[in-house]
Amino acid sequence: MKNLFHKWSTGSKRGYFKEGDLTEVTEELSNPARGWYQIHTFRIEQEPDFDELEWCVHKRDTLALVLMDIGFFRDRDLDEEALGRCGRILRFFADRKYDCIVRAVYDHEGRAVEREPFFFKQVLSHLRQICSVLEQYADCVFVYQGMLVGNWGEMHTSRFLHEDKLVQMAEVLRSCIGDRAYLAVRRPAFWRMLHRSMDGENWSCLDHMGLFDDGIFGSESHLGTFGILAREEAAWNVSWCREDELAFERELGQYAPNGGEAVYGEGFVEGMTPEGIVRELKQMQVTYLNRVYDAKILDVWKEWSCPGQGVWAEKSLYDFVGAHLGYRLLVRKVSVSMAARRGHGNSLLEVDVENTGFGGLYQEAELYLESLDEKGQSCPVEPIQQVKGWSSGEKKQFFWKVDPGNYRLYLSARRKRDGMRIRFANPADSEGRTFLGRICQEQGLHQYTHER
């Protein structure tokens, strides 16, 4: 461990700062709204066995994909019992602190043509009903995927995917969900159909809509996600070639999450490398992936060594991917400097943090400095730093005023909505706080110089 000392003075007082151990850890952090997930499928006409479901959830996951099959009601509205069941399912996951990826579907067996309603007005009515439930449980819904239609709800093999119908379905979802949860459509071309006014270079995601991709690595086109025409040769609302769509996804990923399933594509994955896998997941800004499907490609990742050196040299590609899904906040450097140089009256603690994850931090979070005196008593928490929209690869600097004394400094982060702890990718104490270092006055320095 490095022994880094920073010396400063304020008036007649002289202080020292000794940096803590900021080595990067390689564990998968159970932070909210990111990571691996499992699918939990429910037929809405049947009451789930919640006792059995308790044994099926993955305890380390913070995400769960809740797939609710409403195909039984294809020719009529959901009744009160079914709507109540939808609520009880979401409540089960909310009580266990899961962020839900929700997908309501007519089919979960690849038979959407048989199970979808005959009339489009029934689809719209079902969407409104589902939204009425989502409104009640908005705090536990992270992403709502799809628009009910298509095989497995993946927006393909359906009569209801014409642009005019997509626009109507999107309006229902937007009006009900607003900015309380993210929406996701299956292909970038669908997103562009729903954002005609953003045709051009200067656009942003203003309606919390992103993408989901259940064909990642399934083929060169991600099983039809991408097209063949270059962006400059194609219209705004059609599929572009792989290279251009990946560039589009990287841009969109600054505003809304992307995720889905990795699939073993025969003849395609064999030609990829660990470096290529990581590069593509970063381009897509992937926040969440299915931890069960496709087991074949996940097993390959477990066998492949992680690209790169340092702390990851002995880890597998699977370990690296799991740790970097979504945001991953790493404290890079801590120092104390004379604030007078910056036009301030007090000295400043500077903390440099980088988001090394594949995706962004899409929900509001709060960073704050905690201090403990020599007796272990907590001192007042320093002013909170608000963060949101922290992009992949982006570095941020945070500053707090400090005075000479004898106390330890910890960096903490929590999601603003519910106070859930967000751990940094550095060593943490039992409460999940990252030890930044120790402030001490000159006369007390001798007792700390041999700490490791």
mmCIF file of all heavy atoms in Angstrom, residues 52-96:
data_model
loop_
_atom_site.group_PDB
_atom_site.id
_atom_site.type_symbol
_atom_site.label_atom_id
_atom_site.label_comp_id
_atom_site.label_asym_id
_atom_site.label_seq_id
_atom_site.Cartn_x
_atom_site.Cartn_y
_atom_site.Cartn_z
ATOM 1 N N GLU A 52 -42.582 -20.683 -2.740
ATOM 2 C CA GLU A 52 -41.618 -21.311 -3.645
ATOM 3 C C GLU A 52 -40.753 -20.265 -4.339
ATOM 4 O O GLU A 52 -39.546 -20.461 -4.532
ATOM 5 C CB GLU A 52 -42.356 -22.146 -4.694
ATOM 6 C CG GLU A 52 -41.423 -22.856 -5.666
ATOM 7 C CD GLU A 52 -42.175 -23.684 -6.694
ATOM 8 O OE1 GLU A 52 -43.402 -23.873 -6.539
ATOM 9 O OE2 GLU A 52 -41.533 -24.145 -7.664
ATOM 10 N N LEU A 53 -41.363 -19.138 -4.703
ATOM 11 C CA LEU A 53 -40.622 -18.072 -5.370
ATOM 12 C C LEU A 53 -39.493 -17.558 -4.485
ATOM 13 O O LEU A 53 -38.435 -17.158 -4.981
ATOM 14 C CB LEU A 53 -41.583 -16.931 -5.726
ATOM 15 C CG LEU A 53 -41.005 -15.741 -6.492
ATOM 16 C CD1 LEU A 53 -40.405 -16.178 -7.819
ATOM 17 C CD2 LEU A 53 -42.090 -14.688 -6.721
ATOM 18 N N GLU A 54 -39.707 -17.586 -3.191
ATOM 19 C CA GLU A 54 -38.679 -17.134 -2.251
ATOM 20 C C GLU A 54 -37.370 -17.895 -2.451
ATOM 21 O O GLU A 54 -36.275 -17.351 -2.281
ATOM 22 C CB GLU A 54 -39.176 -17.327 -0.816
ATOM 23 C CG GLU A 54 -38.309 -16.718 0.253
ATOM 24 C CD GLU A 54 -38.418 -15.205 0.310
ATOM 25 O OE1 GLU A 54 -39.528 -14.691 0.484
ATOM 26 O OE2 GLU A 54 -37.372 -14.546 0.164
ATOM 27 N N TRP A 55 -37.468 -19.169 -2.833
ATOM 28 C CA TRP A 55 -36.276 -19.992 -3.026
ATOM 29 C C TRP A 55 -35.652 -19.785 -4.405
ATOM 30 O O TRP A 55 -34.530 -20.236 -4.653
ATOM 31 C CB TRP A 55 -36.616 -21.473 -2.846
ATOM 32 C CG TRP A 55 -36.995 -21.804 -1.432
ATOM 33 C CD1 TRP A 55 -38.250 -21.879 -0.909
ATOM 34 C CD2 TRP A 55 -36.095 -22.084 -0.367
ATOM 35 N NE1 TRP A 55 -38.197 -22.188 0.425
ATOM 36 C CE2 TRP A 55 -36.883 -22.331 0.786
ATOM 37 C CE3 TRP A 55 -34.704 -22.158 -0.258
ATOM 38 C CZ2 TRP A 55 -36.319 -22.635 2.019
ATOM 39 C CZ3 TRP A 55 -34.136 -22.466 0.972
ATOM 40 C CH2 TRP A 55 -34.939 -22.702 2.094
ATOM 41 N N CYS A 56 -36.363 -19.140 -5.296
ATOM 42 C CA CYS A 56 -35.897 -18.991 -6.685
ATOM 43 C C CYS A 56 -35.125 -17.705 -6.934
ATOM 44 O O CYS A 56 -34.373 -17.620 -7.905
ATOM 45 C CB CYS A 56 -37.090 -19.052 -7.645
ATOM 46 S SG CYS A 56 -37.983 -20.625 -7.618
ATOM 47 N N VAL A 57 -35.332 -16.711 -6.095
ATOM 48 C CA VAL A 57 -34.656 -15.434 -6.333
ATOM 49 C C VAL A 57 -33.179 -15.552 -5.974
ATOM 50 O O VAL A 57 -32.792 -16.297 -5.073
ATOM 51 C CB VAL A 57 -35.312 -14.293 -5.528
ATOM 52 C CG1 VAL A 57 -36.730 -14.051 -6.001
ATOM 53 C CG2 VAL A 57 -35.290 -14.598 -4.030
ATOM 54 N N HIS A 58 -32.360 -14.829 -6.706
ATOM 55 C CA HIS A 58 -30.921 -14.830 -6.462
ATOM 56 C C HIS A 58 -30.612 -13.737 -5.444
ATOM 57 O O HIS A 58 -30.841 -12.558 -5.690
ATOM 58 C CB HIS A 58 -30.166 -14.576 -7.765
ATOM 59 C CG HIS A 58 -28.722 -14.978 -7.709
ATOM 60 N ND1 HIS A 58 -27.778 -14.259 -7.002
ATOM 61 C CD2 HIS A 58 -28.054 -16.025 -8.261
ATOM 62 C CE1 HIS A 58 -26.603 -14.841 -7.125
ATOM 63 N NE2 HIS A 58 -26.741 -15.911 -7.889
ATOM 64 N N LYS A 59 -30.085 -14.134 -4.296
ATOM 65 C CA LYS A 59 -29.950 -13.214 -3.171
ATOM 66 C C LYS A 59 -28.975 -12.072 -3.433
ATOM 67 O O LYS A 59 -29.109 -10.993 -2.860
ATOM 68 C CB LYS A 59 -29.502 -13.981 -1.917
ATOM 69 C CG LYS A 59 -30.445 -15.106 -1.506
ATOM 70 C CD LYS A 59 -31.855 -14.606 -1.240
ATOM 71 C CE LYS A 59 -32.779 -15.735 -0.780
ATOM 72 N NZ LYS A 59 -34.171 -15.278 -0.590
ATOM 73 N N ARG A 60 -27.981 -12.270 -4.307
ATOM 74 C CA ARG A 60 -27.006 -11.203 -4.537
ATOM 75 C C ARG A 60 -27.455 -10.222 -5.619
ATOM 76 O O ARG A 60 -26.893 -9.151 -5.762
ATOM 77 C CB ARG A 60 -25.647 -11.792 -4.920
ATOM 78 C CG ARG A 60 -24.911 -12.482 -3.770
ATOM 79 C CD ARG A 60 -23.442 -12.609 -4.088
ATOM 80 N NE ARG A 60 -22.825 -11.297 -4.289
ATOM 81 C CZ ARG A 60 -21.604 -11.126 -4.785
ATOM 82 N NH1 ARG A 60 -20.893 -12.176 -5.153
ATOM 83 N NH2 ARG A 60 -21.101 -9.918 -4.934
ATOM 84 N N ASP A 61 -28.435 -10.605 -6.416
ATOM 85 C CA ASP A 61 -28.915 -9.719 -7.470
ATOM 86 C C ASP A 61 -29.694 -8.551 -6.864
ATOM 87 O O ASP A 61 -30.370 -8.695 -5.838
ATOM 88 C CB ASP A 61 -29.832 -10.461 -8.443
ATOM 89 C CG ASP A 61 -29.078 -11.431 -9.337
ATOM 90 O OD1 ASP A 61 -27.833 -11.380 -9.358
ATOM 91 O OD2 ASP A 61 -29.729 -12.245 -10.011
ATOM 92 N N THR A 62 -29.621 -7.419 -7.520
ATOM 93 C CA THR A 62 -30.470 -6.281 -7.157
ATOM 94 C C THR A 62 -31.537 -6.047 -8.215
ATOM 95 O O THR A 62 -32.392 -5.185 -8.044
ATOM 96 C CB THR A 62 -29.634 -4.998 -6.995
ATOM 97 O OG1 THR A 62 -29.001 -4.669 -8.237
ATOM 98 C CG2 THR A 62 -28.568 -5.171 -5.929
ATOM 99 N N LEU A 63 -31.478 -6.826 -9.309
ATOM 100 C CA LEU A 63 -32.440 -6.714 -10.404
ATOM 101 C C LEU A 63 -33.192 -8.027 -10.577
ATOM 102 O O LEU A 63 -32.645 -9.106 -10.337
ATOM 103 C CB LEU A 63 -31.736 -6.393 -11.725
ATOM 104 C CG LEU A 63 -31.095 -5.019 -11.883
ATOM 105 C CD1 LEU A 63 -30.296 -4.965 -13.187
ATOM 106 C CD2 LEU A 63 -32.143 -3.915 -11.872
ATOM 107 N N ALA A 64 -34.423 -7.941 -11.022
ATOM 108 C CA ALA A 64 -35.215 -9.114 -11.388
ATOM 109 C C ALA A 64 -36.087 -8.738 -12.571
ATOM 110 O O ALA A 64 -36.696 -7.654 -12.584
ATOM 111 C CB ALA A 64 -36.089 -9.568 -10.218
ATOM 112 N N LEU A 65 -36.117 -9.604 -13.597
ATOM 113 C CA LEU A 65 -37.018 -9.358 -14.722
ATOM 114 C C LEU A 65 -38.331 -10.060 -14.435
ATOM 115 O O LEU A 65 -38.391 -11.290 -14.338
ATOM 116 C CB LEU A 65 -36.416 -9.854 -16.040
ATOM 117 C CG LEU A 65 -37.124 -9.315 -17.301
ATOM 118 C CD1 LEU A 65 -36.161 -9.290 -18.494
ATOM 119 C CD2 LEU A 65 -38.367 -10.110 -17.668
ATOM 120 N N VAL A 66 -39.370 -9.288 -14.281
ATOM 121 C CA VAL A 66 -40.707 -9.792 -13.967
ATOM 122 C C VAL A 66 -41.500 -9.843 -15.269
ATOM 123 O O VAL A 66 -41.895 -8.815 -15.815
ATOM 124 C CB VAL A 66 -41.399 -8.890 -12.934
ATOM 125 C CG1 VAL A 66 -42.792 -9.416 -12.631
ATOM 126 C CG2 VAL A 66 -40.562 -8.803 -11.659
ATOM 127 N N LEU A 67 -41.722 -11.058 -15.781
ATOM 128 C CA LEU A 67 -42.446 -11.242 -17.035
ATOM 129 C C LEU A 67 -43.855 -11.717 -16.716
ATOM 130 O O LEU A 67 -44.054 -12.798 -16.156
ATOM 131 C CB LEU A 67 -41.709 -12.256 -17.922
ATOM 132 C CG LEU A 67 -42.178 -12.360 -19.373
ATOM 133 C CD1 LEU A 67 -41.022 -12.785 -20.277
ATOM 134 C CD2 LEU A 67 -43.319 -13.348 -19.528
ATOM 135 N N MET A 68 -44.845 -10.900 -17.040
ATOM 136 C CA MET A 68 -46.240 -11.205 -16.724
ATOM 137 C C MET A 68 -46.998 -11.507 -18.011
ATOM 138 O O MET A 68 -47.183 -10.628 -18.858
ATOM 139 C CB MET A 68 -46.877 -10.028 -15.973
ATOM 140 C CG MET A 68 -46.217 -9.772 -14.625
ATOM 141 S SD MET A 68 -47.028 -8.506 -13.595
ATOM 142 C CE MET A 68 -46.545 -7.004 -14.436
ATOM 143 N N ASP A 69 -47.402 -12.754 -18.162
ATOM 144 C CA ASP A 69 -48.111 -13.219 -19.360
ATOM 145 C C ASP A 69 -49.609 -12.995 -19.164
ATOM 146 O O ASP A 69 -50.241 -13.621 -18.315
ATOM 147 C CB ASP A 69 -47.806 -14.700 -19.580
ATOM 148 C CG ASP A 69 -48.357 -15.228 -20.905
ATOM 149 O OD1 ASP A 69 -49.335 -14.656 -21.425
ATOM 150 O OD2 ASP A 69 -47.817 -16.221 -21.419
ATOM 151 N N ILE A 70 -50.174 -12.094 -19.982
ATOM 152 C CA ILE A 70 -51.602 -11.784 -19.883
ATOM 153 C C ILE A 70 -52.381 -12.368 -21.066
ATOM 154 O O ILE A 70 -53.517 -11.961 -21.327
ATOM 155 C CB ILE A 70 -51.835 -10.264 -19.783
ATOM 156 C CG1 ILE A 70 -51.433 -9.562 -21.088
ATOM 157 C CG2 ILE A 70 -51.087 -9.667 -18.601
ATOM 158 C CD1 ILE A 70 -51.864 -8.105 -21.151
ATOM 159 N N GLY A 71 -51.789 -13.328 -21.778
ATOM 160 C CA GLY A 71 -52.423 -13.895 -22.966
ATOM 161 C C GLY A 71 -53.781 -14.523 -22.703
ATOM 162 O O GLY A 71 -54.625 -14.597 -23.602
ATOM 163 N N PHE A 72 -54.022 -14.970 -21.491
ATOM 164 C CA PHE A 72 -55.315 -15.565 -21.121
ATOM 165 C C PHE A 72 -56.450 -14.565 -21.330
ATOM 166 O O PHE A 72 -57.604 -14.942 -21.567
ATOM 167 C CB PHE A 72 -55.253 -16.013 -19.656
ATOM 168 C CG PHE A 72 -56.497 -16.664 -19.144
ATOM 169 C CD1 PHE A 72 -56.780 -17.992 -19.443
ATOM 170 C CD2 PHE A 72 -57.400 -15.952 -18.357
ATOM 171 C CE1 PHE A 72 -57.940 -18.591 -18.959
ATOM 172 C CE2 PHE A 72 -58.556 -16.550 -17.876
ATOM 173 C CZ PHE A 72 -58.825 -17.875 -18.184
ATOM 174 N N PHE A 73 -56.118 -13.269 -21.266
ATOM 175 C CA PHE A 73 -57.127 -12.219 -21.388
ATOM 176 C C PHE A 73 -57.084 -11.553 -22.758
ATOM 177 O O PHE A 73 -57.468 -10.385 -22.889
ATOM 178 C CB PHE A 73 -56.911 -11.170 -20.291
ATOM 179 C CG PHE A 73 -57.143 -11.676 -18.892
ATOM 180 C CD1 PHE A 73 -56.100 -12.219 -18.154
ATOM 181 C CD2 PHE A 73 -58.409 -11.631 -18.326
ATOM 182 C CE1 PHE A 73 -56.316 -12.693 -16.868
ATOM 183 C CE2 PHE A 73 -58.628 -12.095 -17.040
ATOM 184 C CZ PHE A 73 -57.582 -12.636 -16.313
ATOM 185 N N ARG A 74 -56.645 -12.273 -23.771
ATOM 186 C CA ARG A 74 -56.453 -11.674 -25.094
ATOM 187 C C ARG A 74 -57.724 -11.049 -25.666
ATOM 188 O O ARG A 74 -57.656 -10.090 -26.437
ATOM 189 C CB ARG A 74 -55.913 -12.722 -26.070
ATOM 190 C CG ARG A 74 -56.885 -13.848 -26.401
ATOM 191 C CD ARG A 74 -56.228 -14.917 -27.269
ATOM 192 N NE ARG A 74 -55.811 -14.405 -28.571
ATOM 193 C CZ ARG A 74 -56.550 -14.491 -29.674
ATOM 194 N NH1 ARG A 74 -57.768 -15.035 -29.638
ATOM 195 N NH2 ARG A 74 -56.109 -14.017 -30.806
ATOM 196 N N ASP A 75 -58.891 -11.535 -25.279
ATOM 197 C CA ASP A 75 -60.138 -11.057 -25.870
ATOM 198 C C ASP A 75 -60.973 -10.204 -24.920
ATOM 199 O O ASP A 75 -62.137 -9.908 -25.186
ATOM 200 C CB ASP A 75 -60.969 -12.235 -26.361
ATOM 201 C CG ASP A 75 -61.296 -13.231 -25.259
ATOM 202 O OD1 ASP A 75 -60.749 -13.077 -24.141
ATOM 203 O OD2 ASP A 75 -62.081 -14.162 -25.504
ATOM 204 N N ARG A 76 -60.375 -9.788 -23.789
ATOM 205 C CA ARG A 76 -61.127 -8.973 -22.833
ATOM 206 C C ARG A 76 -60.151 -8.260 -21.906
ATOM 207 O O ARG A 76 -58.966 -8.599 -21.848
ATOM 208 C CB ARG A 76 -62.091 -9.827 -22.009
ATOM 209 C CG ARG A 76 -61.416 -10.891 -21.145
ATOM 210 C CD ARG A 76 -62.424 -11.880 -20.605
ATOM 211 N NE ARG A 76 -61.873 -12.820 -19.647
ATOM 212 C CZ ARG A 76 -61.188 -13.892 -19.981
ATOM 213 N NH1 ARG A 76 -60.929 -14.161 -21.259
ATOM 214 N NH2 ARG A 76 -60.738 -14.723 -19.052
ATOM 215 N N ASP A 77 -60.674 -7.288 -21.167
ATOM 216 C CA ASP A 77 -59.830 -6.570 -20.225
ATOM 217 C C ASP A 77 -59.434 -7.472 -19.056
ATOM 218 O O ASP A 77 -60.122 -8.459 -18.743
ATOM 219 C CB ASP A 77 -60.570 -5.347 -19.676
ATOM 220 C CG ASP A 77 -60.574 -4.184 -20.657
ATOM 221 O OD1 ASP A 77 -59.889 -4.274 -21.700
ATOM 222 O OD2 ASP A 77 -61.273 -3.184 -20.382
ATOM 223 N N LEU A 78 -58.354 -7.117 -18.403
ATOM 224 C CA LEU A 78 -57.961 -7.813 -17.175
ATOM 225 C C LEU A 78 -58.997 -7.538 -16.098
ATOM 226 O O LEU A 78 -59.476 -6.405 -15.958
ATOM 227 C CB LEU A 78 -56.596 -7.318 -16.697
ATOM 228 C CG LEU A 78 -55.415 -7.407 -17.677
ATOM 229 C CD1 LEU A 78 -54.160 -6.845 -17.027
ATOM 230 C CD2 LEU A 78 -55.187 -8.836 -18.118
ATOM 231 N N ASP A 79 -59.352 -8.566 -15.343
ATOM 232 C CA ASP A 79 -60.309 -8.349 -14.263
ATOM 233 C C ASP A 79 -59.584 -7.867 -13.003
ATOM 234 O O ASP A 79 -58.349 -7.817 -12.950
ATOM 235 C CB ASP A 79 -61.131 -9.612 -13.989
ATOM 236 C CG ASP A 79 -60.267 -10.826 -13.647
ATOM 237 O OD1 ASP A 79 -59.148 -10.639 -13.110
ATOM 238 O OD2 ASP A 79 -60.704 -11.963 -13.918
ATOM 239 N N GLU A 80 -60.348 -7.513 -11.987
ATOM 240 C CA GLU A 80 -59.766 -6.958 -10.773
ATOM 241 C C GLU A 80 -58.829 -7.942 -10.089
ATOM 242 O O GLU A 80 -57.807 -7.567 -9.503
ATOM 243 C CB GLU A 80 -60.875 -6.523 -9.806
ATOM 244 C CG GLU A 80 -61.643 -5.295 -10.260
ATOM 245 C CD GLU A 80 -60.738 -4.088 -10.432
ATOM 246 O OE1 GLU A 80 -59.869 -3.871 -9.558
ATOM 247 O OE2 GLU A 80 -60.885 -3.368 -11.432
ATOM 248 N N GLU A 81 -59.177 -9.214 -10.149
ATOM 249 C CA GLU A 81 -58.332 -10.230 -9.522
ATOM 250 C C GLU A 81 -56.967 -10.293 -10.200
ATOM 251 O O GLU A 81 -55.923 -10.378 -9.532
ATOM 252 C CB GLU A 81 -59.016 -11.595 -9.604
ATOM 253 C CG GLU A 81 -58.273 -12.692 -8.857
ATOM 254 C CD GLU A 81 -59.022 -14.017 -8.889
ATOM 255 O OE1 GLU A 81 -60.159 -14.038 -9.413
ATOM 256 O OE2 GLU A 81 -58.473 -15.014 -8.402
ATOM 257 N N ALA A 82 -56.948 -10.216 -11.534
ATOM 258 C CA ALA A 82 -55.685 -10.262 -12.274
ATOM 259 C C ALA A 82 -54.852 -9.015 -11.996
ATOM 260 O O ALA A 82 -53.621 -9.104 -11.817
ATOM 261 C CB ALA A 82 -55.954 -10.394 -13.773
ATOM 262 N N LEU A 83 -55.497 -7.852 -11.944
ATOM 263 C CA LEU A 83 -54.771 -6.620 -11.656
ATOM 264 C C LEU A 83 -54.178 -6.649 -10.242
ATOM 265 O O LEU A 83 -53.042 -6.222 -10.022
ATOM 266 C CB LEU A 83 -55.693 -5.418 -11.813
ATOM 267 C CG LEU A 83 -56.119 -5.094 -13.256
ATOM 268 C CD1 LEU A 83 -57.207 -4.026 -13.266
ATOM 269 C CD2 LEU A 83 -54.925 -4.656 -14.086
ATOM 270 N N GLY A 84 -54.948 -7.171 -9.304
ATOM 271 C CA GLY A 84 -54.441 -7.311 -7.947
ATOM 272 C C GLY A 84 -53.259 -8.257 -7.884
ATOM 273 O O GLY A 84 -52.307 -8.038 -7.124
ATOM 274 N N ARG A 85 -53.309 -9.305 -8.700
ATOM 275 C CA ARG A 85 -52.205 -10.279 -8.750
ATOM 276 C C ARG A 85 -50.932 -9.618 -9.289
ATOM 277 O O ARG A 85 -49.836 -9.876 -8.781
ATOM 278 C CB ARG A 85 -52.629 -11.460 -9.614
ATOM 279 C CG ARG A 85 -51.741 -12.677 -9.493
ATOM 280 C CD ARG A 85 -52.405 -13.881 -10.153
ATOM 281 N NE ARG A 85 -53.573 -14.322 -9.406
ATOM 282 C CZ ARG A 85 -54.786 -14.486 -9.930
ATOM 283 N NH1 ARG A 85 -55.001 -14.236 -11.205
ATOM 284 N NH2 ARG A 85 -55.788 -14.897 -9.173
ATOM 285 N N CYS A 86 -51.088 -8.782 -10.310
ATOM 286 C CA CYS A 86 -49.931 -8.042 -10.835
ATOM 287 C C CYS A 86 -49.292 -7.207 -9.726
ATOM 288 O O CYS A 86 -48.061 -7.170 -9.583
ATOM 289 C CB CYS A 86 -50.354 -7.128 -11.978
ATOM 290 S SG CYS A 86 -50.860 -7.969 -13.491
ATOM 291 N N GLY A 87 -50.119 -6.559 -8.942
ATOM 292 C CA GLY A 87 -49.614 -5.748 -7.840
ATOM 293 C C GLY A 87 -48.913 -6.577 -6.785
ATOM 294 O O GLY A 87 -47.863 -6.185 -6.264
ATOM 295 N N ARG A 88 -49.480 -7.752 -6.453
ATOM 296 C CA ARG A 88 -48.860 -8.602 -5.427
ATOM 297 C C ARG A 88 -47.508 -9.117 -5.894
ATOM 298 O O ARG A 88 -46.579 -9.279 -5.091
ATOM 299 C CB ARG A 88 -49.798 -9.758 -5.073
ATOM 300 C CG ARG A 88 -51.026 -9.324 -4.284
ATOM 301 C CD ARG A 88 -51.779 -10.500 -3.709
ATOM 302 N NE ARG A 88 -52.423 -11.326 -4.715
ATOM 303 C CZ ARG A 88 -53.616 -11.062 -5.263
ATOM 304 N NH1 ARG A 88 -54.268 -9.950 -4.918
ATOM 305 N NH2 ARG A 88 -54.166 -11.883 -6.147
ATOM 306 N N ILE A 89 -47.379 -9.389 -7.179
ATOM 307 C CA ILE A 89 -46.094 -9.852 -7.720
ATOM 308 C C ILE A 89 -45.040 -8.758 -7.575
ATOM 309 O O ILE A 89 -43.924 -9.006 -7.107
ATOM 310 C CB ILE A 89 -46.261 -10.262 -9.197
ATOM 311 C CG1 ILE A 89 -47.094 -11.546 -9.288
ATOM 312 C CG2 ILE A 89 -44.901 -10.456 -9.865
ATOM 313 C CD1 ILE A 89 -47.536 -11.882 -10.703
ATOM 314 N N LEU A 90 -45.397 -7.549 -7.967
ATOM 315 C CA LEU A 90 -44.439 -6.448 -7.846
ATOM 316 C C LEU A 90 -44.117 -6.160 -6.384
ATOM 317 O O LEU A 90 -42.971 -5.851 -6.038
ATOM 318 C CB LEU A 90 -44.974 -5.204 -8.538
ATOM 319 C CG LEU A 90 -45.060 -5.268 -10.067
ATOM 320 C CD1 LEU A 90 -45.689 -3.992 -10.627
ATOM 321 C CD2 LEU A 90 -43.682 -5.477 -10.687
ATOM 322 N N ARG A 91 -45.116 -6.271 -5.518
ATOM 323 C CA ARG A 91 -44.880 -6.036 -4.095
ATOM 324 C C ARG A 91 -43.897 -7.050 -3.526
ATOM 325 O O ARG A 91 -43.052 -6.717 -2.683
ATOM 326 C CB ARG A 91 -46.210 -6.079 -3.335
ATOM 327 C CG ARG A 91 -46.094 -6.004 -1.799
ATOM 328 C CD ARG A 91 -45.272 -4.840 -1.333
ATOM 329 N NE ARG A 91 -45.766 -3.577 -1.869
ATOM 330 C CZ ARG A 91 -45.050 -2.465 -1.891
ATOM 331 N NH1 ARG A 91 -43.819 -2.463 -1.427
ATOM 332 N NH2 ARG A 91 -45.559 -1.350 -2.384
ATOM 333 N N PHE A 92 -43.979 -8.312 -3.984
ATOM 334 C CA PHE A 92 -43.040 -9.341 -3.525
ATOM 335 C C PHE A 92 -41.607 -8.892 -3.767
ATOM 336 O O PHE A 92 -40.743 -9.000 -2.883
ATOM 337 C CB PHE A 92 -43.314 -10.660 -4.257
ATOM 338 C CG PHE A 92 -42.294 -11.732 -3.990
ATOM 339 C CD1 PHE A 92 -42.449 -12.597 -2.923
ATOM 340 C CD2 PHE A 92 -41.171 -11.875 -4.802
ATOM 341 C CE1 PHE A 92 -41.504 -13.582 -2.663
ATOM 342 C CE2 PHE A 92 -40.222 -12.858 -4.561
ATOM 343 C CZ PHE A 92 -40.393 -13.713 -3.481
ATOM 344 N N PHE A 93 -41.311 -8.398 -4.979
ATOM 345 C CA PHE A 93 -39.948 -7.989 -5.302
ATOM 346 C C PHE A 93 -39.583 -6.666 -4.634
ATOM 347 O O PHE A 93 -38.437 -6.481 -4.211
ATOM 348 C CB PHE A 93 -39.778 -7.898 -6.821
ATOM 349 C CG PHE A 93 -39.799 -9.233 -7.497
ATOM 350 C CD1 PHE A 93 -40.966 -9.725 -8.077
ATOM 351 C CD2 PHE A 93 -38.667 -10.021 -7.525
ATOM 352 C CE1 PHE A 93 -40.997 -10.967 -8.683
ATOM 353 C CE2 PHE A 93 -38.679 -11.273 -8.136
ATOM 354 C CZ PHE A 93 -39.839 -11.749 -8.713
ATOM 355 N N ALA A 94 -40.536 -5.767 -4.515
ATOM 356 C CA ALA A 94 -40.268 -4.487 -3.852
ATOM 357 C C ALA A 94 -39.896 -4.705 -2.388
ATOM 358 O O ALA A 94 -38.980 -4.049 -1.867
ATOM 359 C CB ALA A 94 -41.478 -3.574 -3.966
ATOM 360 N N ASP A 95 -40.584 -5.611 -1.722
ATOM 361 C CA ASP A 95 -40.303 -5.884 -0.316
ATOM 362 C C ASP A 95 -38.910 -6.454 -0.112
ATOM 363 O O ASP A 95 -38.340 -6.358 0.982
ATOM 364 C CB ASP A 95 -41.335 -6.855 0.253
ATOM 365 C CG ASP A 95 -42.700 -6.216 0.449
ATOM 366 O OD1 ASP A 95 -42.773 -4.965 0.411
ATOM 367 O OD2 ASP A 95 -43.688 -6.961 0.617
ATOM 368 N N ARG A 96 -38.352 -7.072 -1.141
ATOM 369 C CA ARG A 96 -37.007 -7.667 -1.066
ATOM 370 C C ARG A 96 -35.954 -6.785 -1.714
ATOM 371 O O ARG A 96 -34.848 -7.241 -2.002
ATOM 372 C CB ARG A 96 -37.048 -9.065 -1.688
ATOM 373 C CG ARG A 96 -37.771 -10.062 -0.776
ATOM 374 C CD ARG A 96 -38.451 -11.186 -1.513
ATOM 375 N NE ARG A 96 -39.214 -12.006 -0.572
ATOM 376 C CZ ARG A 96 -40.440 -11.670 -0.141
ATOM 377 N NH1 ARG A 96 -41.012 -10.550 -0.573
ATOM 378 N NH2 ARG A 96 -41.077 -12.446 0.715
#
